[in-house]
Amino acid sequence: MRQRFNVCAYVFGVLFSTALIGAAAPSAQAADSKITIMVGGINKLIYLPPKLAENLGYFKDEGLDVELQSQQAGVDAENELLAGAVQAVVGYYDHSIDLQSKGKEVQSITQLLVVPGGMEMVRSDLATQVRSMADLKGRTVGVTGLGSSSSFIAQYLASRSGLKTSDYSILPVGAGNTLIAALKQKRVDVVWTTEPTTSMLLASGEAKVLVDMNSAEGTRAALGGLYPASAVYVQRSWLQTHKAEAAKLARAFVRTLKFIQTHGAEEIAAKMPADYYGGNKALYVQALKASLPMYSPDGKMPADGAEVVLKVMAAFNPNIKGKKIDLSKTYTNEFVDQVK
């Protein structure tokens, strides 16, 4: 009798444990399927696609549970990815090259911009003294963050003009309102910024254009070729075990890029949150209209695009100069090529 009781107790225990595991499985599976994407400034036009994709319902169409979060600078988003706090980042592709030089491997799975989509701008009161990046000696350059793509581009432009990094100072000032405040307070002389901030500064007369990389022509003149910027990148270790999710993300983003190609600025703006307009929808639409050519038509890495980025990075970054960088590990067209 005692033996029979022990057997029954054992069977009950196994069934009870199995029931608990079964009950826990759906929540564990749900936690696994959620993808958090960190964006390096979600209200910037250079990073418009993720919020647009969410509002158009394209992530849900793919069966993805996506949460979008935002940091002011791409370098902060990158740190969240490396810490494992998020599964993907929408930031500039150049971080994948910088990180490989430091022994970290991330890979772009969809290219969102074919150019940087920004400008180096000078304070209006200094416009007659600072006519090019060669005039930066003794000046302060405002960037979104130290180690950010804005600092990479500023340093390259300065080096191309014959300056050393010791000839000028770099000050992290964030983006948007904090950047504008730094200009007004004269804490910086030149800034790298993107739309809609560039249009706001031009409209207010507080800054003038020094270098324009909103277009392919301006980017080629400044950097010697196209500089693919905003991209969706992930850790390569995550990608190896989540190819199905990566393919779904790529489809959602390519579909979003197609929407941008086939709709006007007014229609696109109408899909974005009203607080992104900065209180001036007309200016936002104007900035968006001027920015439409910067978006990739298909999500693919442009021919020679990665090589141009590497050339720019190696020109001023001692961690990259002379080091073997395997560009094939920094991006892939595998998933966008699958999109019909």
Side-chain angles (χ1 to χ4, degrees):
M1 185 74 175
R2 182 185 180 112
Q3 186 177 6
R4 184 180 174 188
F5 173 80
N6 287 341
V7 170
C8 290
Y10 172 78
V11 172
F12 177 79
V14 169
L15 291 173
F16 182 69
S17 298
T18 304
L20 283 178
I21 292 169
S27 60
Q29 189 176 5
D32 260 359
S33 65
K34 183 173 183 178
I35 297 176
T36 303
I37 302 176
M38 185 64 76
V39 186
I42 199 165
N43 59 348
K44 301 175 186 176
L45 290 184
I46 55 170
Y47 298 138
L48 175 141
K51 192 64 179 178
L52 181 59
E54 180 183 69
N55 288 352
L56 290 170
Y58 291 169
F59 294 134
K60 287 186 178 178
D61 287 351
E62 293 294 336
L64 294 172
D65 179 11
V66 171
E67 179 188 357
L68 300 178
Q69 297 182 6
S70 182
Q71 289 277 9
Q72 275 209 84
V75 65
D76 298 323
E78 161 198 304
N79 290 336
E80 295 284 339
L81 179 69
L82 295 177
V86 301
Q87 287 71 51
V89 162
V90 172
Y92 273 27
Y93 160 72
D94 51 24
H95 287 284
S96 63
I97 293 176
D98 181 55
L99 286 170
Q100 191 181 122
S101 74
K102 299 170 182 175
K104 308 289 185 183
E105 290 196 345
V106 302
Q107 192 165 32
S108 162
I109 58 172
T110 312
Q111 198 61 48
L112 304 179
L113 296 192
V114 293
V115 297
M119 299 176 179
E120 289 288 353
M121 304 186 79
V122 59
R123 278 193 353 241
S124 292
D125 62 307
L126 294 175
T128 57
Q129 301 169 50
V130 181
R131 296 178 180 272
S132 74
M133 296 298 282
D135 300 323
L136 283 186
K137 197 162 187 176
R139 303 289 183 182
T140 301
V141 181
V143 297
T144 54
L146 297 178
S148 64
S149 298
S150 58
S151 69
F152 296 158
I153 291 172
Q155 288 176 84
Y156 174 74
L157 292 174
S159 70
R160 202 177 184 194
S161 297
L163 298 182
K164 303 186 294 291
T165 53
S166 58
D167 289 332
Y168 56 91
S169 301
I170 287 184
L171 183 69
V173 294
N177 291 334
T178 59
L179 180 145
I180 293 171
L183 267 179
K184 286 182 176 178
Q185 294 159 9
K186 299 188 176 181
R187 292 191 290 121
V188 292
D189 305 311
V190 170
V191 293
W192 166 264
T193 188
T194 60
E195 293 286 15
T197 307
T198 49
S199 286
M200 292 168 66
L201 289 170
L202 290 171
S204 67
E206 288 167 321
K208 296 185 181 299
V209 179
L210 204 58
V211 183
D212 186 348
M213 281 179 274
N214 265 336
S215 66
E217 295 74 22
T219 301
R220 287 192 179 100
L223 304 178
L226 290 181
Y227 190 95
S230 301
V232 184
Y233 62 81
V234 299
Q235 292 204 66
R236 277 172 54 80
S237 57
W238 181 88
L239 184 58
Q240 288 163 7
T241 56
H242 292 81
K243 290 205 167 189
E245 290 87 345
K248 290 176 182 180
L249 280 174
R251 277 198 298 270
F253 277 108
V254 170
R255 192 177 172 194
T256 304
L257 292 170
K258 294 294 184 187
F259 183 92
I260 292 171
Q261 297 294 321
T262 54
H263 292 75
E266 280 274 7
E267 295 172 285
I268 298 168
K271 299 294 183 181
M272 303 302 290
D275 59 355
Y276 284 24
Y277 305 156
N280 190 336
K281 185 178 180 181
L283 186 64
Y284 183 87
V285 171
Q286 175 189 320
L288 179 53
K289 188 175 182 180
S291 300
L292 291 179
M294 71 184 179
Y295 297 105
S296 169
D298 53 19
K300 296 180 182 182
M301 174 64 72
D304 301 326
E307 287 78 5
V308 171
V309 176
L310 177 58
K311 180 199 74 172
V312 168
M313 300 286 286
F316 66 87
N317 191 327
N319 293 327
I320 296 174
K321 193 172 185 178
K323 185 172 282 189
K324 175 64 178 174
I325 298 293
D326 186 350
L327 290 177
S328 70
K329 292 182 178 179
T330 63
Y331 76 92
T332 178
N333 286 327
E334 174 187 353
F335 303 104
V336 295
D337 281 342
Q338 296 172 13
V339 180
K340 302 298 182 186

